[in-house]
Amino acid sequence: MINKLNLAKMNPRQENLFKIITSQYIKTAQPVSSNFIALAGNFELSPATIRNEMAELESQGYIYHPHTSAGRVPTELGYRFFVENFLTDAKLGKKEQSFLDKVIKSFKGFEPQVAKELAKGMAEFSQGAVFVAFSDSDFYYTGISNLFAQPEFGQHQLVSNLSQVIDHLDRVVNKMFDSIETDVEIYIGSKNPFSPDCSSVVSKYKTKNNSGLLGILGPTRMDYQTNFNLIKYSQELINNL
């Protein structure tokens, strides 16, 4: 799913703190403070002890301290640790399953429109951009406005960089076509072939006569668990047509 690194070990307390920081930052895009963790965590630690542990996590490269805030946010290395250690094969939510199932049931077999309709639903649930590539080099994407609406992309330069990514999305996807297998692949930041400013979750679908790629593009702060579940469930739906 993701190429594993030889990452520094965390003790259980640090893992718990790091998971809270990352999960909360993914939800809010706001740096997470020691006071928040003291209130949110199910353990009795003083803010001072929490700050010491956060300082250790920072020294290991998993979180950093934005200059304008007292809180911490995950680094690219931190997101990699999060994906390697906390991502599970959890089921997609019932609401999402129901919507995607309904899309599939309106088609008798595979056709490009099936994947396109699934992509629209995935874009809504992921709040990211979703692309579909077909074996005949046809290409479709949706949800670009979701991507640009993320707080990370409020900077003009980042928007300009992402606009260039969108313009050349088909070229990158064509290069990836033969390298992606059936497993769900996650590319974070500098390892993301689309742009180092974001992350992607990608997989290949295969039917009797067709194959293609299905992917979600979002900020490095994306909800990796939800997007992993969306890609995996949608891939299985298409494969079973």
Side-chain angles (χ1 to χ4, degrees):
M1 182 172 60
I2 186 171
N3 293 325
K4 292 207 169 187
L5 298 173
N6 185 19
L7 301 177
K9 296 284 187 179
M10 293 185 194
N11 62 45
R13 186 162 67 185
Q14 290 170 346
E15 282 195 1
N16 198 2
L17 292 172
F18 175 76
K19 189 174 183 181
I20 291 172
I21 291 169
T22 306
S23 299
Q24 181 65 14
Y25 185 66
I26 285 173
K27 289 180 184 177
T28 67
Q30 297 296 318
V32 182
S33 69
S34 56
N35 288 332
F36 174 87
I37 294 173
L39 294 172
N42 294 319
F43 41 75
E44 295 182 2
L45 294 176
S46 69
T49 301
I50 292 171
R51 283 193 293 272
N52 289 337
E53 292 288 20
M54 290 170 74
E56 180 61 26
L57 290 171
E58 189 168 1
S59 71
Q60 293 174 353
Y62 291 119
I63 59 176
Y64 73 97
H65 186 179
H67 295 302
T68 58
S69 171
R72 302 294 195 280
V73 303
T75 62
E76 179 179 321
L77 185 68
Y79 284 118
R80 290 181 65 85
F81 184 93
F82 185 83
V83 167
E84 286 185 18
N85 292 278
F86 300 122
L87 219 62
T88 67
D89 283 327
K91 290 184 178 180
L92 186 63
K94 291 183 178 180
K95 177 183 176 182
E96 292 86 348
Q97 282 191 34
S98 177
F99 181 91
L100 298 177
D101 288 346
K102 188 175 179 180
V103 169
I104 285 290
K105 288 177 181 177
S106 62
F107 294 89
K108 294 182 179 179
F110 179 81
E111 56 183 273
Q113 194 61 33
V114 177
K116 292 178 181 179
E117 293 300 321
L118 284 174
K120 292 175 185 176
M122 292 167 63
E124 180 179 345
F125 294 127
S126 68
Q127 286 301 294
V130 177
F131 64 85
V132 184
F134 305 99
S135 54
D136 58 2
S137 296
D138 192 14
F139 184 74
Y140 173 80
Y141 62 82
T142 185
I144 301 302
S145 60
N146 294 337
L147 195 59
F148 288 148
Q150 300 292 339
E152 292 88 339
F153 304 130
Q155 301 176 39
H156 174 76
Q157 187 58 48
L158 281 179
V159 171
S160 176
N161 291 346
L162 280 179
S163 297
Q164 294 179 29
V165 170
I166 301 304
D167 289 341
H168 300 97
L169 204 58
D170 55 342
R171 186 184 305 172
V172 178
V173 169
N174 286 335
K175 288 182 180 179
M176 295 177 69
F177 205 93
D178 294 327
S179 63
I180 300 291
E181 298 300 328
T182 55
D183 288 340
V184 178
E185 302 287 345
I186 298 175
Y187 302 97
I188 300 173
S190 62
K191 302 298 182 183
N192 182 22
F194 298 99
S195 168
D197 298 320
C198 53
S199 293
S200 58
V201 183
V202 188
S203 190
K204 179 174 283 187
Y205 63 83
K206 292 184 178 180
T207 65
K208 291 180 180 179
N209 301 311
N210 296 274
S211 66
L213 295 183
L214 194 60
I216 298 173
L217 192 63
T220 53
R221 187 186 51 83
M222 71 157 62
D223 185 339
Y224 291 96
Q225 184 67 69
T226 294
N227 292 350
F228 172 82
N229 294 346
L230 280 168
I231 287 288
K232 189 170 183 180
Y233 192 78
S234 298
Q235 176 204 42
E236 290 173 353
L237 287 177
I238 295 175
N239 288 350
N240 292 329
L241 281 172

